[in-house]
Amino acid sequence: MERKRVAIVGAGVSGLAACKQLLERGCRPVVFEADTVLGGVWAHTPECTTLQTPRPMYQYSDFPWADSVTEMFPDHRQVMDYLGGYARHFGVLDCLKFGHRVLGMEYVGVSEEKVAAWEEWGGNGGAFGSGDGEWRLEVANADGDVQAQIVDFVVLCIGRFSGLPNIPSFPSGKGPEAFDGQVMHSMDYSKMGSEKAREMMEGKHVTIVGYLKSALDIAAECAAVNGTEQPCTMIVRTKHWNIPDYYAWGVHISKLYLNRFAELLIHKPGEGFLLSLLATTLTPLRWIFTKFAESYYSIPMKKYGMVPDHSLFEALVACLVAIAPKDHYKRLDEGSIVLKQSKTFTFCKEGVLLEGESSPTRSDIVIYGTGYKGDEKINNMFKSEYFRSIAVGSTSTTLPLYRECIHPKIPQLAVLGYSESLSNLYTTEVRAKWLTHFMDGGFRLPSIKAMQKDVLVWEKFMKRYSRGYFRRSCISILNIWYNDQLCKDMGCNPRRKNGFFAELFEVYGPGDYANLHPK
């Protein structure tokens, strides 16, 4: 692979892992990063943002955290230091081109008609196809100069939670134009820096739209600045399982959901008859586990009418569980954060109008914590209308990625970091090992038809268990089962524990894949 030209787009946790794995196989990729720093979404987060995953579960398998980091949930600065240390240690920094934005790309050398007719990925099931096709990237540097970059393979590591904000739409005359105050998205808030953000919010009526991680973090900072004198208002359109920690009645919920035994309680993609029968038989036990955890986490939520309509299990399947900032429920009790439920809202001169309220919620600043358009961000990378039409599927399907990273109909390209888990970093690392082993000729992909069939099997799983959140491409509840498929593809033993009971009941983590050497 030494002579192959490989481009990685994005220098977040996925881009760094992909680059490191390629370097180990003798390939020297170029990593285009639009920002001036590495880290992806971690480069710009509110000061109070911490990991959602316990530190031992959020690390690369061959690069432990520094001894000086003792917090169970390190903050964003510590995470940035960790990622920077990883990049320096493995020589990844030398491959990065900061301030270089990929504006678009097109597949050249093979006609779209021929690509669409292929029965094997790339024409032969190999990473680089027949050698006739290549990608032409348009890359703009910090000065705006645009150059073409020709490569044999592209790894998209642009993530889902940055870059293209999801902005609510409003009827004419009832949007931000009717409001006298300031409106921004959490992305813009994060880029301000904590000091400027505090200055902006001090003494102001702040309203935040949303009730997941970004919205919660900004509300925590607002409450710390203004206290009960100018309470921060949160508009909750959908109630979520925002929990204080991962312990329910003294039991770590990973014991209930994140081991092989827990996966036996679920119908898994591609399972055989016996596993299917076992999952059906044990389904009541999964229900008991969920009710046990919900009975604990719902206690403070009931006080404010915030118990979600969906179950905790469904939230875990869709990666829609957030660790609330420290003292979140205490701030609700003291009144420095006020929750208001409303499916829709509009703007007026004084603030925002909510469903069922005749008077507006007075606001000086409105901040959208409404997420990002990850699908559209992937689509925008392609210049071809054909690739745009198939890249992310439709609103009624999951993102059509085989093994969560290969589109069956788009050759010589992989997507890393779009699919979530409860421990994105080490999941991405295993996926990067799988990808680079494939790129190095370790195995060939199944036929396009077989890959599409596999995608549909995983889609069926998501639609069965995640209610309406199937497009979130989350593998958290089946993280071990998913990694098993990658291990088998690489010729590795998927059983990573010592002993029957350890294999069945212990939680899998980065250390279990530290000595994963593809054959």
Side-chain angles (χ1 to χ4, degrees):
M1 220 176 19
E2 294 89 349
R3 297 181 181 179
K4 294 299 183 181
R5 301 163 296 178
V6 178
I8 298 172
V9 184
V13 295
S14 300
L16 299 179
C19 184
K20 184 258 186 184
Q21 295 297 327
L22 284 166
L23 286 172
E24 288 188 345
R25 290 179 177 269
C27 177
R28 192 167 186 80
V30 58
V31 183
F32 296 115
E33 172 53 57
D35 207 336
T36 57
V37 294
L38 57 75
V41 67
W42 282 106
H44 304 287
T45 61
E47 188 174 281
C48 70
T49 299
T50 63
L51 277 180
Q52 292 286 281
T53 306
R55 171 176 42 79
M57 293 291 288
Y58 194 91
Q59 67 179 36
Y60 296 109
S61 63
D62 53 3
F63 192 73
W65 286 82
D67 293 339
S68 58
V69 180
T70 58
E71 293 84 355
M72 186 56 68
F73 298 96
D75 62 32
H76 78 283
R77 294 177 190 227
Q78 293 170 310
V79 175
M80 284 292 289
D81 288 342
Y82 175 78
L83 296 177
Y86 177 84
R88 286 189 297 273
H89 182 76
F90 292 107
V92 172
L93 280 180
D94 295 335
C95 299
L96 303 186
K97 285 195 172 184
F98 293 112
H100 283 67
R101 181 182 299 275
V102 177
L103 304 176
M105 57 190 189
E106 59 180 332
Y107 190 66
V108 297
V110 181
S111 69
E112 290 182 356
E113 292 76 14
K114 187 174 182 179
V115 170
W118 277 338
E119 295 182 358
E120 301 290 334
W121 198 72
N124 63 5
F128 301 97
S130 63
D132 296 327
E134 57 191 13
W135 286 95
R136 178 184 291 134
L137 281 61
E138 289 187 358
V139 184
N141 63 22
D143 297 323
D145 298 327
V146 179
Q147 291 186 340
Q149 182 91 18
I150 305 297
V151 298
D152 301 305
F153 200 98
V154 176
V155 186
L156 281 183
C157 302
I158 55 178
R160 291 174 53 189
F161 303 111
S162 62
L164 195 61
N166 179 35
I167 306 295
S169 58
F170 303 92
S172 179
K174 295 186 177 181
E177 71 276 6
F179 179 46
D180 277 351
Q182 184 177 0
V183 180
M184 67 173 62
H185 190 271
S186 61
M187 179 181 75
D188 304 307
Y189 175 92
S190 297
K191 288 181 178 179
M192 292 176 66
S194 296
E195 186 174 343
K196 287 185 178 179
R198 284 192 291 266
E199 291 175 359
M200 176 189 71
M201 292 189 296
E202 189 172 3
K204 302 288 182 63
H205 293 94
V206 179
T207 297
I208 299 170
V209 182
Y211 198 54
L212 275 173
K213 186 56 180 169
S214 293
L216 292 168
D217 286 344
I218 296 171
E221 291 196 349
C222 180
V225 171
N226 290 331
T228 57
E229 294 183 6
Q230 301 284 7
C232 173
T233 300
M234 298 190 75
I235 299 176
V236 181
R237 298 186 295 176
T238 303
K239 293 176 281 189
H240 291 291
W241 289 98
N242 297 322
I243 60 180
D245 53 41
Y246 287 115
Y247 286 90
W249 303 113
V251 177
H252 201 287
I253 62 171
S254 64
K255 300 293 185 183
L256 307 180
Y257 293 111
L258 301 179
N259 53 31
R260 288 194 184 276
F261 179 75
E263 292 188 355
L264 292 176
L265 317 186
I266 306 167
H267 286 285
K268 295 168 286 298
E271 67 185 359
F273 173 75
L274 290 179
L275 285 178
S276 177
L277 180 62
L278 190 60
T280 299
T281 304
L282 296 177
T283 292
L285 184 57
R286 172 169 55 81
W287 182 85
I288 292 171
F289 283 175
T290 297
K291 289 302 178 183
F292 170 79
E294 287 181 353
S295 69
Y296 178 80
Y297 290 131
S298 64
I299 293 174
M301 297 177 184
K302 289 177 180 177
K303 186 174 182 179
Y304 301 97
M306 283 292 132
V307 178
D309 298 323
H310 55 279
S311 70
L312 177 63
F313 173 76
E314 289 170 328
L316 286 166
V317 171
C319 291
L320 278 172
V321 174
I323 297 294
K326 183 181 179 182
D327 297 329
H328 172 68
Y329 288 103
K330 178 182 177 181
R331 289 187 173 110
L332 292 178
D333 290 339
E334 71 184 14
S336 57
I337 297 177
V338 175
L339 304 180
K340 292 191 175 184
Q341 297 182 52
S342 182
K343 288 290 184 183
T344 62
F345 71 98
T346 56
F347 284 91
C348 63
K349 184 176 182 178
E350 298 84 6
V352 293
L353 286 167
L354 308 182
E355 288 179 347
E357 293 191 3
S358 56
S359 57
T361 297
R362 185 182 171 189
S363 309
D364 300 307
I365 303 168
V366 175
I367 303 173
Y368 298 138
T370 48
Y372 295 84
K373 297 180 178 179
D375 294 359
E376 192 173 326
K377 192 160 75 162
I378 290 178
N379 261 347
N380 290 347
M381 297 299 298
F382 299 101
K383 300 180 73 173
S384 159
E385 287 299 324
Y386 168 64
F387 286 151
R388 281 179 177 235
S389 70
I390 64 172
V392 298
S394 70
T395 55
S396 63
T397 69
T398 56
L399 199 75
L401 295 178
Y402 175 71
R403 297 293 192 252
E404 300 296 324
C405 67
I406 296 290
H407 194 295
K409 300 291 284 184
I410 303 181
Q412 293 166 239
L413 178 139
V415 179
L416 287 185
Y418 186 92
S419 176
E420 290 183 87
S421 76
L422 293 182
S423 184
N424 284 331
L425 195 147
Y426 98 80
T427 302
T428 285
E429 182 189 23
V430 177
R431 195 176 290 150
K433 286 186 177 182
W434 178 89
L435 175 62
T436 53
H437 185 54
F438 162 61
M439 292 172 67
D440 204 18
F443 61 92
R444 289 187 178 271
L445 294 176
S447 68
I448 289 175
K449 189 174 182 179
M451 287 194 289
Q452 290 174 325
K453 183 179 179 181
D454 186 81
V455 168
L456 290 176
V457 171
W458 280 83
E459 178 181 301
K460 182 180 178 181
F461 159 76
M462 285 299 296
K463 287 183 174 179
R464 178 173 192 162
Y465 288 119
S466 67
R467 202 176 285 193
Y469 299 111
F470 56 86
R471 278 193 64 82
R472 289 187 62 85
S473 297
C474 174
I475 60 165
S476 62
I477 288 296
L478 286 184
N479 194 52
I480 303 173
W481 180 262
Y482 169 76
N483 283 340
D484 285 354
Q485 316 309 310
L486 302 187
C487 287
K488 291 174 184 177
D489 290 344
M490 292 185 285
C492 299
N493 183 4
R495 301 290 188 263
R496 314 300 299 175
K497 299 286 189 182
N498 293 319
F500 174 79
F501 289 103
E503 190 66 56
L504 192 61
F505 295 108
E506 287 186 6
V507 177
Y508 263 69
D512 296 303
Y513 299 96
N515 297 312
L516 187 68
H517 302 300
K519 298 178 181 178

